[in-house]
Amino acid sequence: MGWGAFRAQFRRAVCLSTEGTPTRQAAYCEGIVSDRPHDIRQVSDCVWELPRTGGMHVPGRVYADERLMPHIRGEKSLDQVANVAHLGGIVRYSLAMPDIHWGYGFPIGGVAATDPSAGGVVSPGGVGYDINCGVRLIASGLTHEDIRDRVADLTKALFRAVPCGVGSSGAIGKLGKSELKDVMSEGASWAVKKGFGTDADLDHTEERGCLSAADPSHVGPRAIKRGLDQVGTLGSGNHFIELGVVDKIFDERAAKTFGLTENGVTLMIHSGSRGLGYQVCDDYLEVMQDAVRKYDIRLPDRQLSCAPVESPEGKRYLAAMACAANYAWANRQVMTALAQRAVASVLGGSEQSLGLRLVYDVCHNIAKLERHEVDGKMKTLCVHRKGATRAFPAGHDDVPGSYRAVGQPVLVPGDMGTHSYVCVGTDAAMTETFGSMCHGAGRVMSRTKARKAAAGRKLVDELSGMGVFVMATGKGTLAEEMPSAYKNVSDVVDVMDRAGIARKVVRLRPLGVIKG
Amino acid sequence: MTERPDYKEIEHTADVGLELEAPDLKAAFELAAASMFDLMCDLDGVGDGVRRTVRIRARDADLENMMVRWLTELLYVFESERLLLSCFDVTKLESGLIEADVTGERYDPGRHALKTEIKAATYHDLAVDQTRGVWLVRVIFDS
């Protein structure tokens, strides 16, 4: 069965009851319907505005097109865009990227910048539990022809090399508490010091893989206990390692700058801060419950609990969040080395001789203090990205020197059956979205529905028929993550491209995938 | 837990949630816990050989806050001890305090099929309400 037929078949199963015909638009009508009417208006080709009402401090803005809007209108994510607009000190808009879907607190795909000098708040709900969940892309000197007959062997080797699944542990042996504090303070560079990767990897990691605000003394004992044995582990849910190939180039110059060539083999890793990050979020949500009372903050959703960035509670959260973010970067750095070694062991040769090197690493669940222009003045803002990726343009100081002429690579994974994209940030992203764009395809079907739709199907065989070799720890994960549970990533990326927020650089096609 | 808990799974796009009714507040907490573990793993195959006492103290906490803390505590037991819990007996429930005896079995990948990872119990759309003598609980989890 071809990919189109596969997708249509799943969509038919879930859409007939609502739309009758299994069109793409019908598929985007899944979800829980909001009981709050929203007067959302199209203001340009790909931008929709949610007017300021009630306690909203600013309007909402959603990047989407006619194909994506029915689903967005049909679930509670617009309620969440409106809720985020209630945050104290929010600047310009409560933003949502085209992969927007119903989350908790913020919508997934939500971006909000607050101004600390005007009482702006930081909200753990705007970062999420998996702090610094993110993606990294590794390029190689290999072509598809070089590994055509080795995809299954390579995927199996990756599956053996990187522990995955719920609560996975034991990739590199249990750390001591003192060493874990080094991980939280140093991030990816801790991993490099321990022999996992090279300094060049740090150059190609957002923030060089370390937020300097990290202060382990603000991380609680439970988070530390949970973090001791999970460095170098993938986890579960939508986390994955994907062996892929560049199958289309849109921007030759940027692709060349990033070292990506047509038919070139790639590895993509998606994971975050594991149990340590979840616990930091849990702990600080309780701190923020008290802060909301202390600072008399009014919010429409308790999950948005927050404190002023400049308050003791806000500063402590940002210091602890930075520890979890650094843990996540160390985690992805260790996994990168384990994955590269696995590839080298299957193919023979070394990581160097196979040309394996990190293209870039981006985080998509984070709150960061960044400089942005507001009404003609440069200001330090607290930019929350909840399922959104930084997308800085050419010439920006925070883009690595080797990429500065073209801009920051933005990694946008799709579902495990279709494509992923590498894009590049633009000047428009800086003026419109605080240098942010989408982070993935965005779910369209609930996990429950996906499991029901997958019942009785042999997903592994069907994906194999599409040329994707898949291995997963849990059957449930594979069902929940099946391709038709997601929007079409090409539709999502096209909106960002048409809106001028980002440019497409290359498209990747999966060959082998491991899931938790 | 001798019987599978009766709850409704909420169709949340990104995550999972549950909704249930209970005759009293003690049962509401017990059923919410059992339902959460049922979302994670089929409880039919989970034994009750390991027992723990759980105590949560939280001054100024309201019912919703206590529900999140209770579920968070049990998730921590699972994560830190690899204990799949199947039976929950709330022995004390008063303002700012929950005590419970919980039993379960150590997670064995060979025998227990985990269905969904639950990272956390969230405050989003959370409800612990009494209507006409019945307690309604709604929780959305990050999964």
Side-chain angles (χ1 to χ4, degrees), chain A residues 48 242 442:
Chain A
W48 302 67
E242 182 174 296

Side-chain angles (χ1 to χ4, degrees), chain B residues 25-139:
Chain B
L25 194 54
K26 178 175 170 297
F29 276 81
E30 291 169 352
L31 278 172
S35 304
M36 178 177 76
F37 275 91
D38 191 63
L39 282 173
M40 293 162 62
C41 178
D42 189 352
L43 291 186
D44 287 344
V46 178
D48 57 1
V50 184
R51 185 188 175 98
R52 293 281 179 273
T53 297
V54 171
R55 182 178 293 109
I56 300 152
R57 278 184 189 282
R59 221 158 38 93
D60 300 332
D62 56 28
L63 270 181
E64 291 182 351
N65 190 244
M66 288 308 280
M67 180 60 78
V68 167
R69 284 174 184 256
W70 159 245
L71 297 175
T72 300
E73 184 70 23
L74 299 174
L75 284 174
Y76 180 71
V77 171
F78 168 65
E79 173 92 8
S80 59
E81 295 191 56
R82 314 302 293 148
L83 263 186
L84 277 169
L85 299 173
S86 58
C87 197
F88 307 85
D89 179 14
V90 173
T91 52
K92 197 176 265 187
L93 181 59
E94 51 193 55
S95 178
L97 176 69
I98 299 178
E99 283 180 10
D101 291 327
V102 299
T103 54
E105 186 183 8
R106 227 166 267 290
Y107 169 56
D108 174 356
R111 289 196 304 110
H112 302 129
L114 289 182
K115 294 189 286 190
T116 300
E117 178 185 35
I118 289 184
K119 293 175 188 157
T122 80
Y123 285 94
H124 175 62
D125 254 358
L126 176 67
V128 187
D129 294 325
Q130 193 181 27
T131 315
R132 293 189 205 96
V134 174
W135 284 90
L136 174 88
V137 178
R138 185 175 59 245
V139 189

Side-chain angles (χ1 to χ4, degrees), chain A residues 344-418:
Chain A
S345 74
V346 171
L347 300 178
S350 66
E351 292 94 308
Q352 290 75 26
S353 67
L354 297 172
L356 295 167
R357 72 209 132 68
L358 184 61
V359 175
Y360 205 59
D361 175 302
V362 292
C363 49
H364 53 228
N365 282 356
I366 199 93
K368 282 162 73 175
L369 296 174
E370 293 174 353
R371 300 283 289 168
H372 289 277
E373 191 178 318
V374 182
D375 299 330
K377 288 182 191 160
M378 290 306 288
K379 285 194 157 189
T380 298
L381 302 179
C382 182
V383 183
H384 298 71
R385 296 191 179 98
K386 174 74 185 82
T389 310
R390 196 184 76 173
F392 282 177
H396 196 289
D397 287 346
D398 290 341
V399 177
S402 51
Y403 298 158
R404 202 165 292 153
V406 293
Q408 177 212 310
V410 183
L411 312 174
V412 186
D415 62 72
M416 60 184 159
T418 44

